[in-house]
Amino acid sequence: MEKNRNYFIAIGLSVLIVLAWQFLYMGPRMEAQQRAEEARLAQQAQQQTITPESPGATSPTTGLPGATQAQATATREESLAKSPRIVIDTPALSGSINLTGARFDDLKLRDYHETVDDTSPLITLFSPADTKDGYFSEVGFVGSADSGTVPGPGTQWTVASGDKLTVQTPVSLTWTNDKGVVFTRRISVDEHYMLTVDDKIDNPTGAAINIGSYGRVTRYNKPATPSVWVIHEGFLGVVGTDGSLSEHTYSNIEEEDVAHPKATGGWIGITDKYWASALIPPQTIAYTSRYSHFTDGQPRYQADFKTENITIQPNASTELKNLVFAGAKEVPLVAQYETQFNIPLFDRMIDWGWFWFFTKPMFQLMDFFFRHVGNFGVAILLTTIVVKAIFFPLASKQYASMANMKRVQPKMEELKAKHGDDRMALQKAMMELYKEEKINPIAGCWPVLLQIPVFFALYKVIYVTIEMRHAPFFGWIQDLSAPDPTSLFNLFGLLPYDVPHALMIGVWPLIMGVTMFVQMRMNPTPPDPTQAMIFTWMPLVFTFMLASFPAGLVIYWAWNNTLSVTQQAIIMKRHGAKIELFDNLKGLFKKKPPAEENK
């Protein structure tokens, strides 16, 4: 039937193919690529000649200190114990500052645990450079012939004031070079994830000096869980106040470094699904920046910038301000930082996707419900209701078109019987029938196509926002960002054995499959055998595919199907069209006459 053809074009091509591609092809392929990459790096690490990091080590391309990194050998505890440090203690962060290089290389997020169990370890964001999970951020200086030595990765700073960094108590560090130039650094932190590095450079010499500054975020490993197509993980930033968002995956940078032209304003960094680290350079000084992958010594990924030199006159001083973001990508917080510090497009650190103009308002609506009901799962259900209500007029047109198609169904069957296998003649006769009855066969398809970006935006919000991570629903769903933990194949935990991951078909995927089955059966079974087979098996295929999706997405899908069935029944009844659900269900248990079976 033409209405079923429209349905499969709109839904099957836009959803089934994308999801099947991801989970049947891209998922295994990315896992294989990651295993191959890990093997390559391990082999490369064995073959590399290790060059220790030195205070004066520079990159030949940018003059950026610290570009050479020794192979990681220490445990986290060993590394933290062997270097002098200042404790970081805030409501959101715990860790320490390494006084060697004034480096941020020890940060944990107090509000986030590795699992839903509140006694599980905190999320570790930064780790020291000599550990296998090295991930750190650093701000320093680039000297010139007249400046003398400047602070870099190996500089041992001295504490001038403060023995612990808290929201109320900043710390001050100092260092004096061989020419008597005094560098004073004040580090402060807010109650969340923004660190402020204020540097003052005093030049008591009798000659002008020229100094630039640099910043870098360096990490050794990719995220443990490979990213999927719906979210960006890797390098990102906005270079220049009028720049656009620049995103590059780890694999892109492994193939070729990316160097940005000189600009003023903006930010650069590295992002995971839920966490990020970013550098915001002095917003009034021009700088160059790049995204790089190094293979000398310890293989590593790095986002860095270097400002142009500034001149400090004799017996004068200058001040520089850098910001370092290190923490969770909480939606209201990154939006607040964008406004508070005038950071261009900082809210795009969260991957809202192509349809960000839909996605962000969708989140705001969902967050509004969450703040009022206190349950993110319920907020998803309420948001879906609002979206369905907004699209009710479009859905009404869609189902009205379907009702018209049903009205001429007997005539279409006559044409099929008359023309048999002559598809050209049948197509021509149907076009004449549509023209005679004033029916547009694709009228029911356009409303569905118009809704796809909005529903994808809702899908995106549920998948990428940290607010859903470890958020409980009801009953056994204690983490909406994780798959349903139950399985049909051990009777949902009643049988005392674990089932393979591929057979983790939980309660909510089954509910979703049932609702999809009912939705499909609201329409007559297509006479075409191929379409009928798709019609029959699609709910089962989706049940298996969505079983590995976050529970929040599956709950949304089941709820959306339920609303769609209800909506379709109301609209079809209003237009006087027969609802085929019960006839189709009865037909499943009726034996076909021999004549039909032999067709």
Side-chain angles (χ1 to χ4, degrees):
M1 298 178 187
E2 292 298 323
K3 58 180 176 299
N4 289 310
R5 184 178 302 168
N6 294 338
Y7 180 83
F8 289 121
I9 289 174
I11 301 300
L13 293 181
S14 62
V15 179
L16 178 60
I17 293 177
V18 172
L19 295 176
W21 175 265
Q22 169 61 30
F23 286 93
L24 301 180
Y25 176 73
M26 287 303 295
R29 182 186 179 194
M30 287 191 300
E31 291 178 4
Q33 288 176 340
Q34 177 143 339
R35 288 193 297 268
E37 177 63 15
E38 289 172 353
R40 183 186 70 81
L41 293 178
Q43 182 179 13
Q44 187 180 61
Q46 293 176 351
Q47 297 173 346
Q48 287 286 350
T49 300
I50 307 306
T51 305
E53 181 184 84
S54 64
T58 61
S59 160
T61 57
T62 66
L64 182 67
T68 300
Q69 181 63 51
Q71 186 74 31
T73 58
T75 66
R76 181 180 173 83
E77 292 72 21
E78 290 171 346
S79 180
L80 295 176
K82 71 183 181 183
S83 57
R85 293 178 173 273
I86 290 180
V87 172
I88 299 174
D89 185 8
T90 77
L93 297 172
S94 67
S96 60
I97 302 170
N98 190 344
L99 290 179
T100 303
R103 177 181 291 171
F104 303 110
D105 64 356
D106 173 28
L107 276 183
K108 294 186 177 183
L109 309 183
R110 291 187 184 274
D111 294 332
Y112 298 96
H113 294 261
E114 292 182 0
T115 70
V116 293
D117 185 354
D118 288 340
T119 63
S120 65
L122 297 175
I123 290 294
T124 298
L125 184 64
F126 283 169
S127 292
D130 54 354
T131 66
K132 64 181 180 63
D133 297 318
Y135 187 5
F136 53 88
S137 182
E138 167 188 295
V139 175
F141 296 91
V142 179
S144 62
D146 53 33
S147 67
T149 307
V150 296
T155 300
Q156 192 66 42
W157 290 79
T158 301
V159 178
S161 65
D163 58 358
K164 180 187 291 187
L165 178 61
T166 70
V167 175
Q168 294 78 24
T169 58
V171 298
S172 293
L173 312 178
T174 186
W175 186 79
T176 303
N177 77 355
D178 52 329
K179 289 194 174 184
V181 179
V182 180
F183 296 83
T184 303
R185 172 165 293 180
R186 182 180 184 272
I187 302 175
S188 57
V189 62
D190 67 3
E191 63 271 25
H192 300 294
Y193 307 114
M194 189 66 81
L195 296 145
T196 302
V197 180
D198 292 299
D199 284 309
K200 182 179 181 183
I201 309 167
D202 291 293
N203 177 19
T205 68
I209 60 174
N210 294 280
I211 292 177
S213 69
Y214 78 90
R216 62 170 174 156
V217 173
T218 304
R219 72 179 297 172
Y220 297 165
N221 304 316
K222 299 177 184 179
T225 303
S227 62
V228 295
W229 63 273
V230 77
I231 188 171
H232 170 73
E233 291 184 311
F235 297 83
L236 82 170
V238 175
V239 179
T241 54
D242 298 324
S244 58
L245 184 68
S246 169
E247 295 179 323
H248 297 273
T249 63
Y250 292 105
S251 57
N252 292 153
I253 302 305
E254 288 169 3
E255 295 175 1
E256 183 179 7
D257 292 355
V258 172
H260 302 117
K262 184 180 291 186
T264 302
W267 56 279
I268 58 172
I270 297 176
T271 184
D272 289 351
K273 180 178 180 180
Y274 294 127
W275 333 110
S277 54
L279 299 166
I280 301 92
Q283 297 291 287
T284 58
I285 301 175
Y287 66 91
T288 55
S289 60
R290 65 177 181 175
Y291 305 142
S292 306
H293 179 238
F294 297 102
T295 56
D296 58 317
Q298 173 66 50
R300 61 206 179 279
Y301 304 92
Q302 182 165 300
D304 56 51
F305 74 85
K306 187 182 76 168
T307 69
E308 63 182 9
N309 284 350
I310 56 175
T311 301
I312 308 173
Q313 298 299 328
N315 300 310
S317 65
T318 191
E319 296 183 358
L320 297 174
K321 180 178 181 178
N322 289 275
L323 299 175
V324 178
F325 174 87
K329 299 192 296 184
E330 298 172 2
V331 177
L333 185 61
V334 294
Q336 172 191 320
Y337 286 149
E338 178 178 13
T339 303
Q340 179 180 351
F341 298 107
N342 196 27
I343 309 172
L345 299 181
F346 199 62
D347 66 321
R348 300 289 292 279
M349 175 183 289
I350 298 168
D351 185 11
W352 298 113
W354 295 341
F355 302 113
W356 58 267
F357 42 85
F358 284 140
T359 314
K360 286 186 66 177
M362 195 81 72
F363 170 80
Q364 291 167 350
L365 177 62
M366 196 177 297
D367 188 56
F368 169 81
F369 286 128
F370 172 68
R371 284 185 277 107
H372 283 78
V373 301
N375 186 297
F376 210 89
V378 175
I380 292 172
L381 303 184
L382 295 175
T383 301
T384 308
I385 291 174
V386 171
V387 172
K388 297 293 284 186
I390 292 174
F391 281 97
F392 187 84
L394 284 176
S396 181
K397 290 183 179 180
Q398 173 194 355
Y399 295 128
S401 174
M402 293 174 63
N404 289 332
M405 294 295 291
K406 284 187 177 183
R407 179 171 52 83
V408 299
Q409 187 68 31
K411 295 182 179 180
M412 292 173 64
E413 293 297 332
E414 291 176 4
L415 291 176
K416 289 177 182 177
K418 177 180 179 181
H419 295 285
D421 294 332
D422 190 346
R423 293 186 176 273
M424 293 294 294
L426 176 61
Q427 189 69 20
K428 182 178 179 181
M430 283 189 171
M431 290 298 104
E432 292 176 354
L433 176 63
Y434 295 150
K435 184 176 181 180
E436 178 184 338
E437 298 291 339
K438 298 180 179 180
I439 293 175
N440 183 354
I442 66 171
C445 184
W446 289 114
V448 175
L449 293 177
L450 291 174
Q451 294 177 60
I452 287 175
V454 177
F455 288 118
F456 179 77
L458 183 57
Y459 168 92
K460 182 90 170 177
V461 168
I462 294 172
Y463 193 84
V464 307
T465 53
I466 194 172
E467 283 74 6
M468 197 178 73
R469 181 182 185 269
H470 293 177
F473 186 47
F474 295 112
W476 65 95
I477 301 297
Q478 296 300 307
D479 182 3
L480 288 167
S481 67
D484 188 322
T486 60
S487 175
L488 170 66
F489 295 95
N490 64 2
L491 297 182
F492 312 109
L494 293 178
L495 300 180
Y497 62 85
D498 295 329
V499 299
H501 180 74
L503 297 179
M504 289 294 293
I505 312 299
V507 175
W508 274 106
L510 290 172
I511 293 174
M512 187 285 306
V514 170
T515 61
M516 189 173 189
F517 173 80
V518 172
Q519 185 180 23
M520 302 288 281
R521 294 292 164 176
M522 289 288 287
N523 301 304
T525 302
D528 181 78
T530 302
Q531 290 187 22
M533 182 181 66
I534 297 175
F535 194 87
T536 300
W537 289 99
M538 185 179 286
L540 182 62
V541 172
F542 268 67
T543 297
F544 274 85
M545 286 200 308
L546 294 184
S548 61
F549 272 46
L553 291 173
V554 182
I555 292 170
Y556 151 69
W557 206 301
W559 180 238
N560 183 65
N561 288 345
T562 302
L563 294 178
S564 295
V565 168
T566 305
Q567 190 178 59
Q568 181 176 353
I570 293 172
I571 296 174
M572 297 293 280
K573 186 175 181 179
R574 178 182 298 174
H575 286 276
K578 181 181 179 182
I579 298 174
E580 305 285 348
L581 175 61
F582 297 106
D583 287 346
N584 283 335
L585 293 178
K586 290 178 182 178
L588 291 175
F589 303 99
K590 286 184 178 180
K591 185 177 181 179
K592 292 183 179 181
E596 289 189 23
E597 290 181 353
N598 294 328
K599 283 185 180 180

